[in-house]
Amino acid sequence: MATYNTLKIRFLSRASLNQSFTFSFREVGGVRRIPYTIVGQRIRSNQVTKGNDVSGLWVSKETTLNFISAFNADYAALGFKASLTPFYNPLDVYDVLIKAPTEFENPNFISFIDEFGLNPNDGAIEFTLGYEKPLEILKINNIEFVADPSDNCNKIKALVTTNYQATAITSPYNASVNSNPFEVNLFRNSNYVITATNEQTTDSIGISTPPLLDIAAINVNINATPYSNSVNITYNGMIGLQLEFSLDNQEWQTDTTFQGLLTGEFNLYVRDQYGCKKSKTFIIEPSFTKIYTPYFYYSKSNSIRFAYRINFGDAANYKNDENTLSCEADVLLPYMQEQFFQSADVITTQIKSNYSNNRAWVLSNGFEIEVPVVKKTNNLNRTDAREAKIIGLNNQQSGVFFLSGNTYDYTTNQVNGSYSLNGLLPVYGRVGNWVQLDGVYYEIKNVYFDENHNADMLVFDKVYNGPMASIIIKSEFNIEEFEVYEFTIDMVDYINQKIQVKFEATDSNFKDIKMLSEVLDIKVRHIDTLEIIYFNNGNNDVFYETGIRHLLRIPFISVGGKDEQSSENYKTDTTAVVISSEIYETNVFKFEPVSKEIWRKLKIALSSDNVIIDGVGYIKNNDFETEGPLGQTNLYVLTAEMLKTGNVQSNRKSNYNFDSSNIEVPGLVQATSDYLKYN
């Protein structure tokens, strides 16, 4: 059934005085009759003053206006409203348009009731029902993005909701609309203006569509540690995308970490809320893990000289100083160097290694006698668990700092003590070390001082968007990348023997390391040799905190005396005074020819902080002098000038005897007494 809200009345010229017409409006509870009579002069309600007619068919505008005034006076209070609308302007003829207070359905408006004998068919008055759409100011209320199944990764649909039904869009393209909300087909990662119209008004809104799912911006951070392999996913940009991740394309998670992974190749699948899905490959290799980096170091400061053992027959192996014994030197006449030790010597050798097995043997008379290798440090595989504070940082990173709180058992998480660092870092707080949070390992990417929290901050790749919170942070770490090992040989067990020492370091993750020493000649006493004991004051390539001391016995050609002198005098017209005079004892040692690597070891020994030659302390005084190589051999002659550390002859003393006269001495005070004190 049709819907109406207007009634148009047209008065034709044949309408005359005393003619009446009635139209009715059906209301709740009955019908409202609206009768009117055309009169010469309106004197009460429901009368219309007839205007002057014009020639032709229609009533003049004057009669029409009179009816509008009369009707509004009678029925405006009920919500009706009458107005003038043009019909035929050249003759100044108009219609009356009555708007009802509500929409209605015919026959709510009954077009005409003939109560006074006036038949509408005679054309005196025309009634026409109509509908005038109310003014609707269109407003775009909401835009929601939904998937476009035709191309989820590049296209997107905008679901547009308006306050009134839109009939069309004119931007970003022209299309009719017959629903609310309605869809607009767009491309992702683009900017648009959406303009909608309802044929009365329009509304526009600028939007940016969701970004593309960029798999290249997805970073797979492989956290391979000696204890567990995990990956942490980070990404830049793609604001507004809700990402999910999977390693099997079946089980999906919003968490950006995968833990407990083995080594091997993996596919990372990523999808967003609009159905776009992409993947990338990553590989967890053993080389990612810190423990798979071998560390082995043998210092040439050690007493016994070793050479690494390799197969010289392999094409990739070459002879060099480090892998040849003296008898294997690449010269025409290689000299086999023997190192001299006496039965009273107890020689300790130190190595630094992260190999799981470190073993030493003495090769004596065809037997291999194993020597205990003792671990002297506890650097590797340390654990720590303690309370800390976590905050979110930019670039999808988190920061952790330490004030004070509980410490915990690493395995059970039971409280086992407390700590107070007041903003400082634990011993493992260095870039490159690892921390564990909720079972996932993260590499420390940066360390900086945070002024806002007055603390040093550990930074690692983890997205944290919450407020500052207390956490339990753990670490399995190495203080150094090695342990210090030592083995000791008591030479009294090998009197009058020539022995060698073999050392091997093995680990299932690394290539084996094998070393063999020069021949060691053991006697009760080696005549015409100098005993050189040497060591440094601090830890360097040797970890001296274990108390290790090194020893060499080197044959010598000569030991020549040489003094180093200095003096300062004060002279006047009548006298001369010695202010200071020192004599430093120096010896010049010329050693017998030794092989190149023993020559180098000897220079290292004589350059140490502490050098004791045959029981006397020395320090290096001048540059060493070297002759060699001698001919076609591997022999060198070293001459070293060494200054004694405990033998300085000086005239300095605390009291001086003078006569009673005044004496002027630079740097002293004048006095008339018999004593002057030097300050």
Side-chain angles (χ1 to χ4, degrees), residues 538-592:
N539 299 326
N540 40 45
D541 62 334
V542 175
F543 191 69
Y544 284 103
E545 286 185 21
T546 65
I548 189 173
R549 300 292 183 263
H550 312 299
L551 183 146
L552 292 176
R553 291 189 183 277
I554 307 294
F556 67 97
I557 297 173
S558 64
V559 178
K562 182 179 179 180
D563 293 332
E564 186 172 298
Q565 305 178 31
S566 66
S567 63
E568 182 181 359
N569 301 327
Y570 176 74
K571 299 176 182 178
T572 67
D573 293 340
T574 59
T575 186
V577 178
V578 176
I579 297 177
S580 66
S581 177
E582 290 87 21
I583 299 177
Y584 297 89
E585 296 185 18
T586 302
N587 281 331
V588 179
F589 297 90
K590 186 172 185 179
F591 298 93
E592 287 192 0

Coordinates of all heavy atoms in Angstrom, one line a residue, residues 538-592:
G538 N 100.0 -9.0 36.7 CA 98.6 -9.1 36.5 C 98.3 -10.1 35.4 O 99.1 -10.7 34.7
N539 N 97.0 -10.5 35.4 CA 96.5 -11.4 34.4 C 96.6 -10.8 33.0 O 96.1 -9.7 32.8 CB 95.1 -11.9 34.7 CG 95.0 -12.5 36.1 OD1 95.9 -13.2 36.5 ND2 93.8 -12.3 36.7
N540 N 97.1 -11.6 32.1 CA 97.1 -11.2 30.7 C 96.8 -12.4 29.8 O 95.8 -13.0 29.9 CB 98.4 -10.4 30.2 CG 99.6 -11.0 30.8 OD1 99.8 -12.2 30.8 ND2 100.5 -10.2 31.4
D541 N 97.8 -12.8 29.0 CA 97.6 -14.0 28.3 C 97.7 -15.3 29.2 O 97.3 -16.4 28.8 CB 98.5 -14.2 27.1 CG 100.0 -14.2 27.5 OD1 100.3 -13.6 28.6 OD2 100.8 -14.7 26.7
V542 N 98.2 -15.0 30.4 CA 98.3 -16.1 31.4 C 97.5 -15.6 32.6 O 97.6 -14.4 33.0 CB 99.8 -16.4 31.8 CG1 99.8 -17.4 32.9 CG2 100.5 -16.9 30.6
F543 N 96.8 -16.5 33.2 CA 96.0 -16.2 34.4 C 96.9 -16.4 35.6 O 96.9 -17.5 36.2 CB 94.7 -17.1 34.4 CG 93.7 -16.7 35.4 CD1 93.0 -15.5 35.3 CD2 93.5 -17.5 36.6 CE1 92.0 -15.2 36.2 CE2 92.6 -17.1 37.5 CZ 91.8 -16.0 37.3
Y544 N 97.5 -15.3 36.0 CA 98.6 -15.5 37.1 C 98.0 -15.6 38.5 O 98.7 -15.9 39.4 CB 99.5 -14.3 37.0 CG 100.5 -14.4 35.9 CD1 100.4 -13.7 34.7 CD2 101.6 -15.3 36.0 CE1 101.2 -13.8 33.7 CE2 102.5 -15.4 34.9 CZ 102.3 -14.6 33.8 OH 103.2 -14.8 32.7
E545 N 96.7 -15.4 38.6 CA 96.1 -15.5 39.9 C 96.2 -16.9 40.5 O 96.0 -17.2 41.7 CB 94.6 -15.1 39.9 CG 94.4 -13.6 39.8 CD 93.0 -13.2 39.9 OE1 92.2 -13.9 40.4 OE2 92.6 -12.1 39.4
T546 N 96.4 -17.9 39.6 CA 96.6 -19.3 40.1 C 97.9 -19.5 40.8 O 98.2 -20.5 41.4 CB 96.5 -20.3 39.0 OG1 97.6 -20.1 38.1 CG2 95.2 -20.1 38.2
G547 N 98.8 -18.5 40.7 CA 100.2 -18.6 41.3 C 101.2 -19.2 40.4 O 102.3 -19.5 40.8
I548 N 100.9 -19.4 39.1 CA 101.8 -20.0 38.2 C 103.1 -19.2 38.0 O 103.0 -17.9 38.0 CB 101.1 -20.3 36.8 CG1 102.0 -21.1 35.9 CG2 100.7 -19.0 36.2 CD1 101.3 -21.6 34.7
R549 N 104.2 -19.9 37.9 CA 105.5 -19.3 37.7 C 106.2 -20.1 36.5 O 106.0 -21.3 36.5 CB 106.4 -19.2 38.9 CG 105.9 -18.5 40.1 CD 105.8 -17.0 39.8 NE 105.3 -16.2 40.9 CZ 104.1 -15.8 41.1 NH1 103.1 -16.2 40.2 NH2 103.7 -15.1 42.2
H550 N 106.9 -19.4 35.7 CA 107.5 -20.0 34.5 C 109.0 -20.2 34.7 O 109.6 -19.4 35.5 CB 107.3 -19.3 33.2 CG 105.8 -18.8 33.0 ND1 104.8 -19.7 32.9 CD2 105.3 -17.6 33.0 CE1 103.7 -19.1 32.8 NE2 103.9 -17.8 32.8
L551 N 109.6 -21.1 34.0 CA 111.0 -21.4 34.2 C 111.7 -21.9 32.9 O 111.1 -22.7 32.2 CB 111.2 -22.5 35.3 CG 112.7 -22.8 35.7 CD1 112.8 -23.1 37.2 CD2 113.2 -24.0 34.9
L552 N 112.8 -21.3 32.6 CA 113.7 -21.7 31.5 C 115.1 -22.0 32.0 O 115.5 -21.3 32.9 CB 113.7 -20.7 30.4 CG 112.4 -20.4 29.6 CD1 112.7 -19.2 28.6 CD2 112.0 -21.6 28.8
R553 N 115.7 -22.9 31.4 CA 117.2 -23.1 31.6 C 117.9 -23.0 30.2 O 117.6 -23.9 29.4 CB 117.5 -24.5 32.3 CG 117.0 -24.6 33.7 CD 117.4 -25.8 34.4 NE 116.9 -25.9 35.7 CZ 117.4 -25.3 36.8 NH1 118.5 -24.5 36.6 NH2 116.8 -25.4 38.0
I554 N 118.7 -22.0 30.1 CA 119.3 -21.7 28.8 C 120.8 -21.7 28.9 O 121.4 -21.0 29.8 CB 118.8 -20.3 28.3 CG1 117.2 -20.3 28.3 CG2 119.3 -20.0 26.9 CD1 116.6 -21.2 27.3
P555 N 121.5 -22.4 28.0 CA 123.0 -22.3 28.0 C 123.4 -20.9 27.6 O 122.7 -20.2 26.8 CB 123.4 -23.3 26.9 CG 122.2 -24.2 26.8 CD 121.0 -23.4 27.1
F556 N 124.5 -20.5 28.2 CA 125.0 -19.1 27.9 C 126.4 -19.1 27.5 O 127.2 -20.0 27.8 CB 124.8 -18.2 29.1 CG 125.6 -18.6 30.3 CD1 126.8 -17.9 30.5 CD2 125.3 -19.6 31.2 CE1 127.6 -18.2 31.6 CE2 126.0 -19.9 32.3 CZ 127.2 -19.2 32.5
I557 N 126.8 -18.1 26.8 CA 128.2 -17.9 26.3 C 128.9 -17.0 27.3 O 130.0 -17.4 27.8 CB 128.2 -17.2 24.9 CG1 127.6 -18.1 23.9 CG2 129.7 -16.9 24.5 CD1 127.4 -17.5 22.5
S558 N 128.3 -15.9 27.8 CA 129.0 -15.0 28.7 C 128.0 -14.2 29.5 O 126.8 -14.0 29.0 CB 130.0 -14.1 28.0 OG 129.3 -13.2 27.1
V559 N 128.5 -13.7 30.7 CA 127.7 -12.7 31.4 C 128.7 -11.6 31.8 O 129.6 -11.8 32.5 CB 127.1 -13.4 32.7 CG1 126.4 -12.3 33.5 CG2 126.3 -14.5 32.4
G560 N 128.5 -10.5 31.1 CA 129.4 -9.3 31.3 C 128.7 -8.3 32.2 O 127.5 -8.0 32.1
G561 N 129.6 -7.7 33.0 CA 129.1 -6.6 33.9 C 129.0 -5.3 33.2 O 129.9 -5.0 32.3
K562 N 128.1 -4.5 33.5 CA 127.9 -3.1 33.0 C 127.1 -2.3 34.0 O 126.1 -2.8 34.5 CB 127.2 -3.2 31.6 CG 127.1 -1.8 30.9 CD 126.3 -2.0 29.6 CE 126.2 -0.6 28.9 NZ 125.5 -0.7 27.6
D563 N 127.7 -1.1 34.3 CA 127.0 -0.3 35.2 C 126.3 0.9 34.5 O 126.8 1.4 33.5 CB 128.0 0.2 36.3 CG 128.5 -0.9 37.2 OD1 127.8 -1.9 37.3 OD2 129.7 -0.8 37.6
E564 N 125.3 1.4 35.2 CA 124.6 2.6 34.7 C 124.6 3.6 35.9 O 124.2 3.3 37.0 CB 123.1 2.2 34.4 CG 122.4 3.4 33.7 CD 121.0 3.0 33.2 OE1 121.0 2.1 32.3 OE2 120.0 3.5 33.7
Q565 N 125.2 4.8 35.6 CA 125.5 5.7 36.7 C 124.7 7.0 36.4 O 124.5 7.4 35.3 CB 127.0 6.0 36.7 CG 127.9 4.8 36.9 CD 129.3 5.1 36.9 OE1 129.7 6.2 37.3 NE2 130.2 4.2 36.4
S566 N 124.5 7.7 37.6 CA 123.9 9.1 37.5 C 124.3 9.8 38.7 O 124.5 9.2 39.8 CB 122.4 9.0 37.4 OG 121.8 8.5 38.5
S567 N 124.5 11.1 38.6 CA 124.9 12.0 39.8 C 124.4 13.4 39.6 O 124.2 13.8 38.5 CB 126.4 11.9 40.0 OG 127.1 12.5 38.9
E568 N 124.3 14.1 40.7 CA 123.9 15.5 40.7 C 124.8 16.2 41.8 O 124.8 15.8 42.9 CB 122.4 15.7 41.0 CG 122.0 17.1 41.0 CD 120.5 17.2 41.3 OE1 119.8 16.2 41.5 OE2 120.0 18.4 41.3
N569 N 125.4 17.3 41.4 CA 126.3 18.0 42.3 C 125.8 19.5 42.4 O 125.1 20.0 41.6 CB 127.8 18.1 41.8 CG 128.3 16.7 41.6 OD1 128.0 15.8 42.4 ND2 129.2 16.5 40.6
Y570 N 126.3 20.1 43.6 CA 126.1 21.5 43.8 C 127.4 22.2 44.0 O 128.2 21.7 44.9 CB 125.2 21.8 45.0 CG 125.0 23.3 45.3 CD1 124.2 24.0 44.5 CD2 125.7 23.8 46.4 CE1 124.1 25.4 44.7 CE2 125.5 25.2 46.6 CZ 124.8 26.0 45.8 OH 124.6 27.3 46.0
K571 N 127.7 23.2 43.3 CA 129.0 23.9 43.3 C 128.9 25.3 43.7 O 128.0 26.0 43.2 CB 129.7 23.7 42.0 CG 130.0 22.3 41.5 CD 130.6 22.3 40.1 CE 130.8 20.8 39.7 NZ 131.3 20.7 38.3
T572 N 129.8 25.8 44.6 CA 129.9 27.2 44.9 C 131.3 27.7 44.7 O 132.1 26.9 44.2 CB 129.5 27.5 46.3 OG1 130.4 26.9 47.2 CG2 128.1 26.8 46.7
D573 N 131.6 28.9 45.0 CA 132.9 29.5 44.8 C 133.9 28.8 45.8 O 135.1 28.8 45.6 CB 133.0 31.0 45.1 CG 132.2 31.7 44.0 OD1 132.0 31.1 42.9 OD2 131.8 32.9 44.2
T574 N 133.4 28.3 46.9 CA 134.3 27.8 47.9 C 134.3 26.3 48.1 O 135.1 25.7 48.8 CB 134.0 28.5 49.3 OG1 132.7 28.2 49.6 CG2 134.2 30.0 49.2
T575 N 133.2 25.6 47.6 CA 133.1 24.2 47.9 C 132.2 23.5 46.8 O 131.6 24.2 46.0 CB 132.4 24.0 49.3 OG1 132.4 22.6 49.6 CG2 131.0 24.4 49.3
A576 N 132.2 22.2 46.9 CA 131.3 21.4 46.0 C 130.7 20.3 46.8 O 131.3 19.7 47.7 CB 132.1 20.8 44.8
V577 N 129.4 20.1 46.6 CA 128.6 19.1 47.4 C 127.9 18.1 46.4 O 127.4 18.5 45.4 CB 127.6 19.8 48.2 CG1 126.7 18.8 49.0 CG2 128.2 20.8 49.2
V578 N 128.0 16.9 46.7 CA 127.3 15.8 46.0 C 125.9 15.8 46.5 O 125.6 15.5 47.7 CB 128.0 14.5 46.1 CG1 127.1 13.4 45.4 CG2 129.4 14.5 45.5
I579 N 124.9 16.1 45.7 CA 123.5 16.0 46.1 C 123.0 14.6 46.0 O 122.4 14.1 46.9 CB 122.6 16.9 45.3 CG1 123.1 18.4 45.5 CG2 121.2 16.8 45.6 CD1 122.3 19.4 44.6
S580 N 123.3 13.9 44.8 CA 122.9 12.5 44.7 C 123.8 11.8 43.7 O 124.4 12.5 42.8 CB 121.5 12.4 44.1 OG 121.4 13.0 42.8
S581 N 124.0 10.5 44.0 CA 124.9 9.7 43.2 C 124.4 8.3 43.2 O 124.2 7.8 44.3 CB 126.3 9.8 43.6 OG 127.1 9.0 42.8
E582 N 124.0 7.7 42.0 CA 123.5 6.3 42.0 C 124.3 5.5 41.0 O 124.7 6.0 39.9 CB 122.1 6.3 41.6 CG 121.1 6.8 42.7 CD 120.9 8.3 42.6 OE1 121.1 8.8 41.5 OE2 120.5 8.9 43.6
I583 N 124.5 4.3 41.3 CA 125.1 3.3 40.4 C 124.2 2.1 40.3 O 123.9 1.5 41.4 CB 126.5 2.9 40.9 CG1 127.5 4.1 41.0 CG2 127.1 1.8 40.0 CD1 128.9 3.7 41.5
Y584 N 123.7 1.8 39.1 CA 122.8 0.7 38.9 C 123.6 -0.5 38.3 O 124.3 -0.3 37.3 CB 121.7 1.1 38.0 CG 120.8 2.1 38.6 CD1 121.0 3.5 38.4 CD2 119.7 1.8 39.3 CE1 120.2 4.4 38.9 CE2 118.8 2.7 39.9 CZ 119.1 4.1 39.7 OH 118.3 5.0 40.2
E585 N 123.5 -1.6 38.9 CA 124.2 -2.8 38.4 C 123.5 -3.4 37.2 O 122.3 -3.7 37.3 CB 124.5 -3.8 39.5 CG 125.3 -3.3 40.6 CD 125.6 -4.4 41.6 OE1 125.4 -5.6 41.3 OE2 126.0 -4.1 42.7
T586 N 124.2 -3.6 36.1 CA 123.6 -4.2 34.9 C 124.5 -5.4 34.5 O 125.7 -5.3 34.6 CB 123.5 -3.2 33.8 OG1 122.7 -2.1 34.3 CG2 122.9 -3.8 32.6
N587 N 123.9 -6.4 34.0 CA 124.6 -7.5 33.4 C 124.1 -7.7 32.0 O 123.0 -7.5 31.7 CB 124.4 -8.8 34.2 CG 125.3 -8.9 35.4 OD1 126.4 -8.3 35.5 ND2 124.8 -9.6 36.4
V588 N 125.1 -8.0 31.1 CA 124.8 -8.3 29.7 C 124.9 -9.8 29.5 O 126.0 -10.4 29.7 CB 125.7 -7.5 28.8 CG1 125.4 -7.9 27.3 CG2 125.6 -6.0 29.0
F589 N 123.8 -10.5 29.2 CA 123.8 -11.9 29.0 C 123.8 -12.2 27.5 O 123.0 -11.7 26.7 CB 122.5 -12.5 29.6 CG 122.4 -12.3 31.1 CD1 121.8 -11.2 31.6 CD2 123.0 -13.2 32.0 CE1 121.7 -11.0 33.0 CE2 122.9 -13.1 33.3 CZ 122.2 -11.9 33.9
K590 N 124.8 -13.1 27.2 CA 124.9 -13.6 25.8 C 124.6 -15.1 25.8 O 125.4 -15.8 26.4 CB 126.2 -13.2 25.1 CG 126.2 -13.6 23.7 CD 127.5 -13.1 23.0 CE 127.5 -13.3 21.5 NZ 128.7 -12.8 20.8
F591 N 123.5 -15.5 25.2 CA 123.1 -16.9 25.3 C 123.7 -17.7 24.1 O 123.9 -17.1 23.0 CB 121.6 -17.0 25.3 CG 121.0 -16.3 26.6 CD1 120.6 -15.0 26.5 CD2 120.9 -17.0 27.8 CE1 120.1 -14.4 27.6 CE2 120.4 -16.4 28.9 CZ 119.9 -15.1 28.8
E592 N 123.8 -18.9 24.3 CA 124.2 -19.8 23.2 C 123.1 -19.9 22.2 O 121.9 -19.6 22.5 CB 124.5 -21.2 23.7 CG 125.8 -21.3 24.5 CD 126.2 -22.8 24.8 OE1 125.5 -23.7 24.3 OE2 127.3 -23.0 25.4

